[in-house]
């Protein structure tokens, strides 16, 4: 993990991360990027497998200046990245639909991050155990200490992989629709329809031990 005290507040701009369309929405701010990553549970990971573009959704977590994913050791995308294939990771939050007065200016309020890089496989069993803990603790703080932890065979069957946050960019849109001046007087509603992810009431496993019924907790 990088020493945060020596890091610039901004990520460097690389050829792959230079945003050329919608530049006013672009940001390379480190704290903004971290927040977008941390607020999400799922990212999409893409690479080329056997000459074809391939992508999967998967859970992720961040440790300093690295983002981590995990999956089965026989997962073909992870195997390709482990063999040196370039990867791209994407994360998007939809915060609202932007309803304009014209079809062309409808949009969305969103926060997104795109990361390019090569993956590094975590090989040490103690490190794999720690990343198992970090993953579960992201899902629900305190969960790790209440469950059975991975055994040797489970760790062996799981690949953990990290990516440096180096070639990274973010785009963010907020606010009202932006209509043409002559359209503001059109007789139609315009504004933003906010969008939120909300956790529902926990549902007990059908095989729950009665002693633990009703004790499910929503993520913090």
């Amino acid at each position: 993990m990088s020493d945060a005290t020596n890091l610039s507040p901004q990520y460097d701009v690389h050829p792959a991360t230079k945003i050329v369309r919608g530049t006013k929405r672009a940001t390379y701010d480190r704290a903004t990027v971290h927040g977008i990553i941390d607020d999400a549970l799922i990212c999409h990971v893409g690479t080329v497998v056997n000459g074809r573009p391939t992508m999967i959704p998967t859970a992720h977590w961040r440790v300093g200046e690295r983002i981590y994913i995990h999956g089965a050791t026989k997962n073909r995308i992870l195997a390709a990245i482990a063999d040196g294939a370039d990867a791209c990771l994407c994360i998007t939050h939809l915060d609202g639909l932007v309803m304009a007065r014209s079809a062309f200016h409808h949009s969305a309020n969103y926060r997104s991050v795109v990361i390019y890089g090569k993956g590094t496989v975590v090989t040490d069993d103690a490190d794999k155990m720690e990343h198992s803990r970090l993953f579960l603790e992201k899902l629900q703080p305190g969960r790790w200490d209440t469950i059975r932890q991975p055994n040797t065979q489970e760790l062996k069957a799981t690949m953990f992989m990290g990516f440096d946050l180096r070639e990274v960019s973010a785009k963010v849109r907020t606010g009202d629709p932006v209509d043409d001046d002559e359209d503001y007087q059109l007789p139609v509603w315009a504004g933003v329809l906010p969008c939120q992810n909300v956790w529902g009431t926990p549902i007990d496993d059908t095989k729950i031990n009665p002693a633990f019924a009703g004790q499910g907790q929503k993520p913090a």
Side-chain angles (χ1 to χ4, degrees):
M1 177 167 37
S2 302
D3 181 359
T5 61
N6 295 326
L7 296 176
S8 165
Q10 302 283 321
Y11 284 106
D12 293 336
V13 180
H14 298 267
T17 62
K18 184 177 180 180
I19 295 175
V20 296
R21 293 191 62 82
T23 55
K24 65 182 179 181
R25 300 178 185 174
T27 178
Y28 300 89
D29 178 71
R30 197 176 299 271
T32 299
V33 168
H34 288 181
I36 294 171
I37 293 173
D38 295 347
D39 285 347
L41 292 176
I42 300 294
C43 68
H44 286 77
V45 183
T47 191
V48 175
V49 179
N50 297 326
R52 299 189 64 183
T54 309
M55 180 177 290
I56 55 170
T58 187
H60 69 271
W61 60 100
R62 181 180 64 86
V63 181
E65 290 300 315
R66 289 177 71 79
I67 183 172
Y68 287 87
I69 61 175
H70 73 305
T73 55
K74 295 182 179 180
N75 180 292
R76 60 177 183 160
I77 289 183
L78 295 188
I81 298 172
D83 285 341
D86 290 330
C88 178
L89 289 76
C90 302
I91 297 169
T92 302
H93 299 273
L94 176 64
D95 295 322
L97 296 179
V98 179
M99 314 300 286
R101 295 161 181 83
S102 68
F104 184 81
H105 289 297
H106 279 66
S107 186
N109 285 340
Y110 65 90
R111 293 162 289 143
S112 65
V113 163
V114 176
I115 302 158
Y116 295 97
K118 292 185 178 292
T120 301
V121 177
V122 177
T123 57
D124 181 77
D125 282 349
D127 290 340
K128 293 172 74 172
M129 184 68 79
E130 173 62 7
H131 280 292
S132 297
R133 185 189 71 83
L134 292 170
F135 168 59
L136 263 296
E137 287 297 292
K138 179 175 182 179
L139 297 184
Q140 187 169 74
R143 182 80 176 166
W144 180 255
D145 291 332
T146 68
I147 59 172
R148 179 183 69 78
Q149 297 168 7
N151 59 38
T152 301
Q153 186 59 38
E154 289 169 337
L155 286 179
K156 183 179 179 180
T158 305
M159 183 186 300
F160 292 83
M161 180 177 291
F163 302 83
D164 287 334
L165 295 177
R166 192 176 71 87
E167 293 189 56
V168 56
S169 62
K171 290 183 76 173
V172 177
R173 190 203 189 281
T174 61
D176 292 337
V178 180
D179 276 305
D180 296 339
D181 288 343
E182 60 270 24
D183 288 339
Y184 279 98
Q185 300 307 313
L186 290 175
V188 60
W189 182 85
V192 176
L193 300 177
C195 177
Q196 294 180 330
N197 285 324
V198 179
W199 297 108
T201 301
I203 301 172
D204 289 338
D205 180 2
T206 56
K207 297 181 180 179
I208 193 76
N209 182 324
F212 299 100
Q215 295 186 20
Q217 297 180 355
K218 299 177 183 179

